[in-house]
Amino acid sequence: MKKRNKRITAMLLTGLMTISLAACGQNAPAQNTDTGAAESAAAGETVELDVLSMPTNTSGLAEGWWAEEVAKAVGVSINMIPCGDQAEQKLQALMASGELPDIVVFKDYKQMQNAVDGDMLLAYDDYKELLPDLYANAGTALQYCADIIKDSDGKSYGVGMKIKTDLESKGTFGPFIRYDLYKELGAPEIRNLDDFLTVLKQMQDLSPKNEDGQNVYGISLFKDWDRSYMTMGMFATKMMGITMPDEGSLAEIHYDTGEPVLTSILSEDSGYMQFVRFAYEANQMGILDPDSATQRFEDVVQKVTSGRVLFMLDSWGTGDFSTVEKQNNGVGFMPVQPTGYKRLVNALQPMGSSWVMSVSKSAENPEKAMEFINWYYSYEGARISLNGPKDVVWKMDESNKPVLTEKYYDINNNPEAEFSGGKTFLQGSCQIPQAFWLSSVDPSCGAAVSNTYWEKPSYAPEDTALVKEWQADYGAEDMISYLMADDSRIQIEPVSSYPTYTDEMEQLSGRLGDIIKTGSWKMVFAKDDAEYEEIKAQMIADAQEVGIDRFVELYRTEYEKCLADAEKYAQK
């Protein structure tokens, strides 16, 4: 593979605002680094960095406000390498070529291990002088990645993402439904997945077509995130209080007895198999989008935005439909947690998730890659990436607390308006997984990185009519506040790390994944119960022959190590 020619382009660095590059406090650890980056940006040059983000669907050169903020802060532009449902195949091809893009976001520790074994990654330790924020804010995550690498030199070649230092106190959890139609039915109690099916069918009967005369579906799924199973099952089990730790895991963790119990996702009472049955029943009832097995994530989001979907496991696209105008007319999506389940709340994650960010040895501008990562793991960079440009949609007030500006609320009222660079605010947002969980607190100012947790300013508009209606129904500000008020409604995950796959586990996951993905989708679209059970029996038999019981046994061993790691690293 030939060495890639990186483009260094001159850019007019015009934007909506002049951003302060200091962190939350005046003595921010990244001050010197940011100054150097600012000087580089001021010179009018940007270095293009190729980023392969395994969990990301979008591709191409980043444009809009976030791209402008990155260019001003660090002097780089971000080119997203397409992956989607071909992420694993693309990574394997790149590994075989001997070169990775400048920055890679791996989906699990094993992928990072393989890259280290192939001598394809740079060690953060060798660039420590460029990474003061990374080491100050993600030291535990760096240490964990260094410790789990087998036969390593003790250096960190990756850092976990979605670092979580504080539990959620408010905000939303899925699933989400069209609350206006749900209330029109009289808001019947939803205890479990079966109740969801009944209610969604009734809602679809109330609104079988959208404003353009297109068919409306209770549920619309997609498969381009699938790895070793239907990945939407992982999101569904959260509402049941069950953990499916990662997209390659064929085991899930239950907490019914108070202690974590690990079981195969193909066991009769698994949350995953309940989800597959849920999707099958939805198809039998005519409320499942028939395109579910062939469409991509962005197709579903477009349908949600067009008013063609009534239920989502998470908030994807729901805000695009639930505009302020619609909500003030009582129309839109709101969360509804089944009362028969405890909702899973992710544990604190000082080590970050198993999504890991690394820099390639093939990077032609490794210093710039490191500067970008340092900015991304600064609390200032995190606030910008999550909330928007500083001094435009948020600012620091007199008490050194972040607060939203009036511009933020203007955007909410006009989400389709161009915001910057020919893009709407949403279109121009960051497409790389976040460095910090939304609730994580910046210790220098005592505020979480996401505006979800900030105090509302006096000029903030009143909640919409739909939100007020939901609040009156639940007696709480939002779903997380409601759930957290009663321990009987939540299940807090007791472990914050994810097992590292052995070579055998990785091979088994790949072989079993082909069986389980194919079988699961066939089950969803089976013509009747008899065919469903036949496909199910064959899938389980094939999985047992290949070794799913062996995988679960190996996974259990690694998970027990995680329990010990969680206690060890939580104290750092």
Side-chain angles (χ1 to χ4, degrees):
M1 182 176 182
K2 292 183 179 180
K3 193 85 169 169
R4 289 170 293 113
N5 292 320
K6 304 300 298 177
R7 290 177 294 168
I8 302 179
T9 59
M11 242 184 114
L12 289 175
L13 295 175
T14 56
L16 292 172
M17 40 76 79
T18 300
I19 182 169
S20 167
L21 294 169
C24 201
Q26 291 184 350
N27 296 320
Q31 205 162 13
N32 292 336
T33 301
D34 285 343
T35 300
E39 289 175 355
S40 174
E45 292 184 348
T46 60
V47 174
E48 185 177 305
L49 298 177
D50 289 337
V51 177
L52 176 69
S53 177
M54 301 284 286
T56 303
N57 287 76
T58 57
S59 62
L61 195 66
E63 298 177 316
W65 67 262
W66 184 74
E68 293 170 0
E69 294 303 308
V70 172
K72 285 185 285 187
V74 196
V76 304
S77 59
I78 300 296
N79 180 44
M80 303 294 292
I81 304 299
C83 49
D85 54 351
Q86 299 296 314
E88 276 68 38
Q89 295 92 321
K90 182 172 288 289
L91 178 63
Q92 290 172 9
L94 289 167
M95 294 277 288
S97 75
E99 288 191 2
L100 292 173
D102 301 299
I103 294 173
V104 180
V105 177
F106 297 109
K107 273 192 174 182
D108 60 48
Y109 301 127
K110 182 59 179 174
Q111 292 175 346
M112 176 182 66
Q113 175 77 60
N114 291 341
V116 171
D117 292 343
D119 193 28
M120 304 182 75
L121 301 180
L122 294 175
Y124 287 125
D125 305 66
D126 296 337
Y127 293 84
K128 199 169 183 178
E129 71 281 358
L130 297 176
L131 301 167
D133 278 317
L134 180 68
Y135 276 84
N137 305 329
T140 300
L142 285 165
Q143 187 61 55
Y144 184 69
C145 281
D147 291 348
I148 62 175
I149 293 296
K150 296 178 176 63
D151 302 320
S152 76
D153 52 10
K155 295 181 179 181
S156 177
Y157 292 85
V159 60
M161 310 197 76
K162 299 192 292 184
I163 293 170
K164 184 177 183 180
T165 58
D166 300 85
L167 287 177
E168 297 88 342
S169 59
K170 57 183 179 179
T172 59
F173 283 142
F176 292 78
I177 63 173
R178 276 282 302 278
Y179 204 66
D180 51 307
L181 298 176
Y182 175 60
K183 290 301 293 290
E184 193 173 337
L185 294 175
E189 182 181 11
I190 297 176
R191 298 179 300 274
N192 50 38
L193 291 178
D194 288 340
D195 286 350
F196 255 126
L197 290 171
T198 300
V199 169
L200 289 171
K201 174 60 177 171
Q202 294 171 343
M203 289 168 60
Q204 187 187 55
D205 289 343
L206 286 176
S207 180
K209 303 281 185 180
N210 71 354
E211 293 179 352
D212 296 324
Q214 297 170 303
N215 289 335
V216 170
Y217 301 104
I219 304 164
S220 188
L221 303 175
F222 53 95
K223 66 184 303 184
D224 54 313
W225 288 7
D226 291 0
R227 183 175 172 191
S228 293
Y229 53 80
M230 291 176 67
T231 299
M232 290 304 95
M234 179 174 68
F235 292 92
T237 57
K238 290 181 181 294
M239 78 171 95
M240 307 178 212
I242 298 169
T243 301
M244 293 182 69
D246 59 67
E247 295 95 325
S249 168
L250 302 174
E252 59 182 42
I253 305 161
H254 297 235
Y255 310 96
D256 299 344
T257 62
E259 294 294 326
V261 176
L262 192 143
T263 185
S264 164
I265 67 169
L266 299 187
S267 62
E268 193 61 37
D269 61 346
S270 75
Y272 178 77
M273 292 301 285
Q274 291 180 57
F275 167 74
V276 175
R277 183 75 190 187
F278 167 75
Y280 162 74
E281 294 287 358
N283 187 53
Q284 293 294 303
M285 296 167 68
I287 62 174
L288 178 68
D289 183 351
D291 296 334
S292 291
T294 56
Q295 67 190 354
R296 299 173 64 84
F297 169 75
E298 52 264 35
D299 300 322
V300 174
V301 170
Q302 181 56 50
K303 288 179 179 178
V304 176
T305 304
S306 302
R308 300 186 61 195
V309 182
L310 306 178
F311 169 95
M312 287 294 280
L313 289 165
D314 213 319
S315 59
W316 310 305
T318 58
D320 296 345
F321 176 84
S322 302
T323 62
V324 171
E325 181 180 3
K326 281 195 178 84
Q327 287 193 28
N328 277 325
N329 289 321
V331 176
F333 284 87
M334 293 298 292
V336 174
Q337 165 67 25
T339 59
Y341 305 132
K342 285 187 174 186
R343 211 293 177 181
L344 181 73
V345 177
N346 291 98
L348 298 182
Q349 294 179 175
M351 300 94 88
S353 73
S354 59
W355 291 356
V356 176
M357 180 176 274
S358 299
V359 178
S360 166
K361 271 195 172 180
S362 300
E364 293 188 12
N365 292 281
E367 291 82 6
K368 276 298 177 189
M370 294 295 175
E371 287 179 21
F372 166 74
I373 288 175
N374 185 67
W375 176 81
Y376 203 63
Y377 277 82
S378 70
Y379 286 113
E380 183 89 334
R383 276 192 295 273
I384 290 170
S385 297
L386 277 165
N387 305 297
K390 184 179 179 181
D391 293 331
V392 177
V393 299
W394 66 275
K395 63 183 180 180
M396 301 303 289
D397 65 15
E398 298 80 4
S399 59
N400 197 38
K401 299 286 186 183
V403 62
L404 292 167
T405 66
E406 293 183 69
K407 179 67 176 179
Y408 170 85
Y409 300 104
D410 290 341
I411 294 168
N412 274 2
N413 288 326
N414 300 282
E416 297 304 315
E418 180 182 329
F419 180 74
S420 181
K423 303 288 184 180
T424 66
F425 184 85
L426 183 63
Q427 290 169 344
S429 60
C430 175
Q431 298 300 314
I432 301 174
Q434 294 298 329
F436 300 99
W437 203 274
L438 305 186
S439 56
S440 291
V441 170
D442 174 358
S444 66
C445 67
V449 292
S450 169
N451 71 68
T452 298
Y453 301 93
W454 301 350
E455 292 296 323
K456 285 187 177 181
S458 59
Y459 46 78
E462 290 186 12
D463 290 324
T464 63
L466 184 68
V467 170
K468 287 181 178 178
E469 182 179 13
W470 186 96
Q471 290 171 337
D473 292 341
Y474 280 81
E477 180 182 357
D478 51 45
M479 179 55 79
I480 293 180
S481 301
Y482 169 75
L483 293 173
M484 289 293 196
D486 189 335
D487 289 344
S488 68
R489 300 170 183 158
I490 59 170
Q491 172 60 58
I492 299 178
E493 185 183 22
V495 61
S496 59
S497 62
Y498 300 82
T500 303
Y501 285 26
T502 63
D503 290 340
E504 184 180 2
M505 288 171 66
E506 183 180 33
Q507 292 165 5
L508 283 171
S509 179
R511 293 176 62 197
L512 290 164
D514 292 338
I515 295 168
I516 294 171
K517 282 185 297 186
T518 302
S520 297
W521 279 107
K522 285 183 177 179
M523 289 165 65
V524 169
F525 287 97
K527 64 182 179 182
D528 53 31
D529 283 0
E531 185 177 48
Y532 177 93
E533 292 299 333
E534 180 182 354
I535 297 170
K536 174 184 172 183
Q538 188 63 56
M539 177 183 71
I540 292 174
D542 291 345
Q544 287 176 335
E545 182 177 351
V546 169
I548 190 167
D549 294 336
R550 173 63 177 164
F551 178 90
V552 173
E553 176 188 343
L554 293 168
Y555 200 92
R556 180 175 288 107
T557 299
E558 296 301 317
Y559 178 72
E560 288 172 354
K561 294 178 185 177
C562 285
L563 290 171
D565 284 344
E567 183 176 349
K568 171 185 173 184
Y569 287 92
Q571 298 172 358
K572 292 198 172 188

